C-alpha cells in the first residue's frame, strides 16, 4: 500500500477524517478512489480529478506486462513530496483487497469503473463477466460498509441495459431488456447500487452512459477498430478491415465529456440516476463511411464482413435522452459525431505514421544486419 502522507496541492471542500495512519490534518483535499483507472474512462477521470485538486487513488490489477499506458503521462514518483496520484493493487474479484484499500484510504468519492466491459467477449466468458462486472460492485459496496465510511459512490451503468429497447429515446424510466451476459451483469450492478442507496441511505448514483469513444478507446471496440484500420490502410500497413454487423446503431459521444458527468453526479445535492448521451444516433456503416471518407478512401474496397464478429444477440438501436442531466446537473455534450470521428482519425493517423517509420527503421536494421553477416 502506498503512503498517504503527501500534502494536497489544491484544496477541495474542507473536511476532517481519520485514516489508517491516525488523525489527518483538518484541511484536506478530497480523496477519490477509482476502480478501472487504467481504462479509457478511468484515465480521463483521473486527469479531471487531479485538475480539480483531488488526491486520486487508482486500483490496478497485477499484470505480467505494463498496462498503465493511458495513465503514464500522469505518473508521479511516490517518493516525491506532494504526490497526488497513487496506484494500489486490488481486484474487483478479491474482497479482501477492497476491504484493505477502503480501510486505509477512506475516500470521499468512489468511482466504480472497473469491469470486463466488452459485450462480445462476455458471451465467451459469461461467468467471469458476472463476477467482475456484476458481483464486483457489491464487493465494493460491502467493503464501504465494513470500513464504516460514507463516501459518495458512482456506478458505471450502461445503455446496454436497454438492449432490445422498448421505447426511443431511452430515459431513466425506460425498462431494461439486457441482451448479453455483460448487460445482465450490469443490470445486477445497477440494482444493487440502487438497493444500497435505499437500504443504507448511501449517496450512490448510477450513470447510465451511452457509448463514448476517444483516442484512448480500446482497439477492439468498433470505433477504434475502424479508425486504427482506416489509418493503417491509408499509410499502406494493411489492406482489409473485417467487421461484423454494420447496421447496428449507437448514440456515440466523447469520453472526456462523459467523465465530467460522473463527477457532476457525485457533486450535486441528491443521489440519483442519470442518462448521459448525445441524443443522436449513427450506424456502424456511417462511422466507417465518415472515417474512410475523411482519409479520401473508398471503404467498400477495404471492408469485408466476417461472421465471427456477429453477436448471439444484438442491440440494434440506442438513442439516449439526457434532458434530466441537462436540467439537474447542467451537463451538455460538447463534441459532435463528426468531430469525434475526426479527432480519432487524426490521432490514429499519427500512430500509423509512427508505425511506418518504426517498420522502416526495422527493415533498415534487418537489412544492415544481413549485410554485416556476409
Ligand atoms: P475499459 O477501457 O474496458 O476499462 C475497464 C477497466 O476495468 C480497466 O482499467 C481494467 O483494468 C479494469 N478491470 C477489469 N477487470 C477488473 C477487475 N477484475 N478488477 C479491477 N479492475 C478491473 O472500459 P471503459 O470504456 O473505460 O468503461 C469504464 C466503465 O464504464 C466500465 O465499467 C464499462 O463497462 C462502463 N461503460 C462504458 C461505456 C463506454 O462506452 N465506454 C458506456 C457505458 C458504461 P485492466 O487495464 O487491468 O484490464
Ligand atoms: N467490437 C466490434 N467489432 N463491434 C462491431 C464490429 C466489430 O468488428 N462490427 C460491428 N460491430 C457492432 C457491434 O455488433 C455493436 O452493435 C456495435 O458495433 C458497437 O460495438 P462495440 O464498440 O463493441 O460497443 P458496444 O455497444 O457493444 O458496447 C460498448 O458500449 C456500451 C454502452 O452502450 C462498451 O463500451 C460497453 O462496455 C458499454 O456498456
Amino acid at each position: 500500500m502506498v503512503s498517504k502522507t503527501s500534502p494536497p496541492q489544491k484544496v477541495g471542500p474542507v473536511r476532517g477524517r481519520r485514516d489508517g495512519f491516525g488523525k489527518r490534518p483538518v484541511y484536506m483535499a478530497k480523496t477519490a478512489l477509482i476502480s478501472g483507472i487504467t481504462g479509457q474512462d478511468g484515465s480521463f477521470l483521473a486527469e479531471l480529478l487531479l485538475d480539480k485538486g483531488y488526491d486520486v487513488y487508482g486500483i490496478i490489477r497485477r499484470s505480467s506486462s505494463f498496462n498503465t499506458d493511458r495513465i503514464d503521462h500522469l505518473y508521479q514518483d511516490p517518493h516525491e513530496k506532494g504526490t497526488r496520484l497513487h496506484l494500489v493493487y486490488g481486484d474487483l474479484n478479491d474482497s479482501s483487497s477492497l476491504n484493505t484499500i477502503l480501510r486505509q484510504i477512506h475516500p470521499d468519492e468512489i468511482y466504480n469503473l472497473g469491469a470486463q466491459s466488452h459485450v462480445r467477449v462476455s458471451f465467451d466468458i459469461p461467468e467471469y463477466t458476472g463476477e467482475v462486472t456484476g458481483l464486483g460492485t457489491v464487493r465494493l459496496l460491502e467493503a464501504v460498509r465494513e470500513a464504516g465510511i460514507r463516501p459518495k459512490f458512482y456506478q458505471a451503468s450502461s445503455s446496454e441495459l436497454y438492449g432490445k429497447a422498448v421505447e426511443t429515446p431511452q430515459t431513466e424510466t425506460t425498462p431494461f431488456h439486457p441482451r448479453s451476459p455483460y448487460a445482465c451483469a450490469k443490470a445486477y450492478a445497477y440494482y444493487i447500487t440502487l438497493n444500497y442507496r435505499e437500504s443504507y441511505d448511501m449517496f450512490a448514483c448510477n450513470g447510465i452512459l451511452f457509448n463514448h469513444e476517444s483516442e484512448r478507446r480500446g482497439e477492439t471496440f468498433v470505433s477504434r477498430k475502424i479508425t486504427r484500420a482506416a489509418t493503417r490502410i491509408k499509410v499502406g500497413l494493411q489492406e482489409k478491415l473485417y467487421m461484423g454487423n454494420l447496421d447496428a446503431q449507437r448514440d456515440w459521444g466523447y469520453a472526456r465529456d462523459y467523465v465530467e458527468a460522473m463527477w457532476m453526479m457525485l457533486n450535486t445535492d441528491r443521489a440519483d440516476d442519470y442518462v448521459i448521451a448525445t441524443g443522436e444516433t449513427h450506424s456502424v456503416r456511417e462511422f466507417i463511411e465518415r472515417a474512410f471518407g475523411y482519409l479520401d478512401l473508398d471503404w467498400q474496397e477495404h471492408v469485408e464482413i466476417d461472421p465471427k464478429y456477429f453477436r448471439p444477440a444484438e442491440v440494434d438501436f440506442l438513442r439516449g435522452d439526457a434532458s434530466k442531466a441537462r436540467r439537474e446537473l447542467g451537463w451538455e455534450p460538447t463534441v459532435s459525431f463528426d468531430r469525434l470521428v475526426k479527432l480519432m482519425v487524426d490521432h490514429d493517423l499519427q500512430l500509423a505514421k509512427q508505425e511506418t517509420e518504426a517498420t522502416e527503421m526495422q527493415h533498415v536494421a534487418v537489412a544492415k544486419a544481413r549485410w554485416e553477416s556476409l
Side-chain angles (χ1 to χ4, degrees), residues 78-371:
H79 304 99
E80 305 273 319
K81 270 193 161 179
T83 304
R84 288 191 298 120
L85 174 64
H86 315 264
L87 300 180
V88 291
Y89 280 113
D91 197 300
L92 287 166
N93 270 348
D94 178 34
S95 310
S96 68
S97 66
L98 302 176
N99 288 336
T100 307
I101 290 168
L102 286 182
R103 268 201 310 273
Q104 296 198 359
I105 291 174
H106 286 199
D108 299 288
E109 295 171 13
I110 298 177
Y111 296 86
N112 184 30
L113 311 186
Q116 190 304 91
S117 75
H118 203 284
V119 174
R120 224 314 286 130
V121 173
S122 77
F123 287 97
D124 299 334
I125 47 170
E127 185 183 331
Y128 176 78
T129 304
E131 283 289 346
V132 180
T133 308
L135 288 178
T137 305
V138 80
R139 289 193 188 100
L140 199 47
L141 286 164
E142 271 301 283
V144 167
R145 285 196 340 113
E146 282 178 29
I149 54 176
R150 295 199 56 79
K152 293 181 172 180
F153 186 89
Y154 173 86
Q155 170 56 25
S157 286
S158 164
S159 52
E160 280 292 302
L161 292 168
Y162 300 118
K164 203 172 168 60
V166 298
E167 64 180 11
T168 296
Q170 292 89 48
T171 71
E172 292 79 4
T173 56
T174 303
F176 297 154
H177 185 142
R179 295 272 281 170
S180 62
Y182 166 82
C184 293
K186 282 286 181 189
Y188 175 80
Y190 170 93
Y191 283 116
I192 201 72
T193 301
L194 179 57
N195 179 255
Y196 273 53
R197 181 162 86 219
E198 293 175 352
S199 307
Y200 305 116
D201 194 27
M202 264 193 197
F203 194 111
C205 304
N206 281 291
I208 309 172
L209 271 50
F210 283 62
N211 297 52
H212 46 280
E213 319 295 313
S214 74
E215 63 280 19
R216 294 188 200 163
R217 184 60 143 152
E219 297 189 14
T220 60
F221 295 97
V222 80
S223 61
R224 191 82 198 286
K225 179 170 167 180
I226 295 167
T227 58
R228 278 293 273 149
T231 50
R232 294 184 89 248
I233 289 169
K234 180 72 184 175
V235 301
L237 284 170
Q238 75 183 66
E239 183 55 31
K240 294 286 178 200
L241 165 61
Y242 295 94
M243 299 290 304
N245 175 15
L246 305 189
D247 295 322
Q249 299 185 57
R250 289 289 183 276
D251 178 331
W252 275 297
Y254 184 45
R256 257 185 215 281
D257 285 343
Y258 286 51
V259 301
E260 186 98 36
M262 297 175 188
W263 177 81
M264 286 173 160
M265 283 179 221
L266 295 200
N267 285 276
T268 190
D269 297 337
R270 199 172 52 87
D272 208 342
D273 307 321
Y274 294 91
V275 161
I276 299 298
T278 67
E280 239 186 70
T281 298
H282 298 272
S283 67
V284 172
R285 184 178 286 97
E286 257 179 285
F287 200 112
I288 295 174
E289 278 167 4
R290 210 64 74 96
F292 279 72
Y294 183 45
L295 291 163
D296 290 324
L297 293 171
D298 178 355
W299 69 274
Q300 306 207 48
E301 287 176 10
H302 301 282
V303 175
E304 291 190 10
I305 302 300
D306 181 341
K308 93 171 177 205
Y309 296 112
F310 285 95
R311 295 162 184 199
E314 177 62 286
V315 172
D316 296 317
F317 182 97
L318 291 173
R319 177 181 298 155
D321 174 357
S323 27
K324 180 176 171 188
R326 192 168 282 130
R327 202 171 52 245
E328 296 184 11
L329 306 175
W331 180 83
E332 297 263 6
T334 66
V335 175
S336 66
F337 177 69
D338 198 44
R339 217 177 116 212
L340 174 66
V341 175
K342 283 183 178 159
L343 78 81
M344 290 179 68
V345 170
D346 284 340
H347 175 272
D348 284 346
L349 191 56
Q350 289 312 314
L351 264 191
K353 284 179 181 161
Q354 283 166 18
E355 238 183 293
T356 319
E357 280 160 23
T359 313
E360 276 163 11
M361 273 161 64
Q362 220 174 11
H363 282 154
V364 173
V366 171
K368 230 176 130 199
R370 281 210 197 103
W371 282 110

